Amino acid sequence: MHLINADLHCHSDVSDGTLTPERLAERAHRNGVELWALTDHDEVGGQRRARDAARAQGLDYLTGTEISVTFAGKTVHIVGLGFDADDAQLNQGLRATRGGRELRARDMAAGLARVGIPGAYEGALGYVGNPELISRTHFARHLVEIGHCADMSEVFRRYLTEGKPGFVEHRWATLGDAVRWVTQAGGVAVIAHPGRYGFTPNEEFALFTEFRGHGGRGVEVVTGSHTVAEYGKYADMALEFDLLASRGSDFHSPEESRTDLGRLPDLPGKLTPVWEALEHRVHRA
Ligand code: AMP
Ligand code: MN
Ligand code: MN
Ligand code: MN
């Protein structure tokens, strides 16, 4: 159970990935994944399709989502795994979290128009698979397509991050709400890619401590968003905070993602994988 190829973080076109849940399931299977979770941002609309597609591929499946949270003035992502996707409170919380995206997108487009990039809202919409889930990624694809930037990371650097013309401050879910929605729906909450937030050590300590206090139980250690040094750092943090460890590529697209589904190093052996605590929640193929 420890060394299975689990990939518990990726995105379909139900959020900001480019592949359908069915194509992701095929790709995961082809790449040797044995336990899979689709974790679309703030959305569980693809869960039934993902579970059915996983079964068709002979792939074990855990439900998933990645919830946007505001903590210490920054956006933090909380992955939920193994919950009941029909849970009313979870669905209502996610719907409320998605609800701000439309206005935010219009404000982003207004900011871009002020620096000479008109029509970005309509352009981004051309990449959106789910009208409730317009994200910065869709704007970035549009800006690359029209030749403003060479690649996605240049768009984020120049236009879509704090202080840049297309960035809009936004208040997402609270940490406590996100953890409770997942936990009360029978799942396990996991801090996604902690190495990505740029927190000071004090802020990071506060995040882990408060997350534990709300009932959060896991942390991503091996993710496409971490460096090798961060695998070690967050393995130590998992032990220090007595957290289960997760592993996931954060795959979005064959053209854009550096890490493909299932192509990650194993978790360090001293850790307890999050899937060991979720055996009873796995949908067996
Ligand atoms: P949003 O939820 O609309 O704020 O969009 C967040 C998404 O943008 C993340 O989940 C990533 O898929 C993407 N993203 C954030 N930063 C970058 C970056 N530097 N390069 C490429 N994609 C990024
Ligand atoms: Mn994303
Ligand atoms: Mn994320
Ligand atoms: Mn993600």
Side-chain angles (χ1 to χ4, degrees), residues 11 15-17 41 66 77 135 137 250 252:
H11 300 273
S15 64
D16 62 348
H41 295 284
E66 182 177 19
H77 287 167
S135 88
T137 312
D250 208 355
H252 282 71

